[in-house]
Amino acid sequence: MIENILIGLATMVICLMIQILLVVIAIRFYARNPQLVESPTLLSTVGLITAIMLLLVVGNFVQILIWGGLFMYLGEFTDFATAAYHSAVNFATLGYGDIVMSEDRRALGPMQSVNGVLMIGVSTAVMMAALQDALHRTRKARET
């Protein structure tokens, strides 16, 4: 059990580092493109927010694949497609239960779910902050 906790925590830290990197990239991208949100057209704002969303979602997919790779490394699955699917179900907290890990490693499932909730929450927070700021700037540009 302790081994699974350590493995899970280490994987969560790796995922957090990836998430932080992508959040920094998203924020810098947003900050370096003020013309897109200070334009009176909503289309440029939507494009900028869409780019940020895609970047953060790609980050979530990368994290899902990392967990899937871990499950393969631990010998839980024989093919990567199944490991990635199981990982995605855990990360999104769906919990279908159609594919389960062995009793020895099943504690990693809830750990990945906690990781997924946190990382998806971070992505959502960054997107909402950018959206609110962008809409405010777009409204301000329309007023001037």
Side-chain angles (χ1 to χ4, degrees), residues 12-140:
M12 290 173 84
V13 168
I14 291 167
C15 288
L16 179 61
M17 286 187 223
I18 290 169
Q19 190 73 21
I20 289 169
L21 175 66
L22 291 173
V23 164
V24 167
I25 292 169
I27 290 170
R28 284 186 178 174
F29 178 72
Y30 181 84
R32 290 181 179 159
N33 290 285
Q35 73 281 1
L36 295 177
V37 293
E38 293 170 356
S39 165
T41 65
L42 194 58
L43 188 59
S44 61
T45 301
V46 169
L48 181 61
I49 299 303
T50 300
I52 290 170
M53 179 199 70
L54 290 174
L55 177 66
L56 295 172
V57 168
V58 165
N60 291 145
F61 283 136
V62 167
Q63 294 171 61
I64 287 168
L65 297 177
I66 288 170
W67 280 94
L70 173 66
F71 298 153
M72 286 292 296
Y73 175 76
L74 295 173
E76 288 297 312
F77 301 102
T78 56
D79 64 291
F80 189 72
T82 302
Y85 166 78
H86 179 75
S87 176
V89 168
N90 284 344
F91 198 84
T93 69
L94 293 173
Y96 287 149
D98 55 339
I99 300 171
V100 296
M101 292 193 293
S102 68
E103 285 188 35
D104 292 342
R105 299 292 184 189
R106 68 179 170 193
L108 291 172
M111 291 186 77
Q112 184 187 12
S113 294
V114 168
N115 186 210
V117 167
L118 292 171
M119 297 305 105
I120 291 170
V122 168
S123 295
T124 303
V126 170
M127 279 184 45
M128 282 308 301
L131 179 62
Q132 287 175 333
D133 183 67
L135 291 175
H136 173 73
R137 288 181 179 200
T138 301
R139 187 178 328 118
K140 193 173 179 181

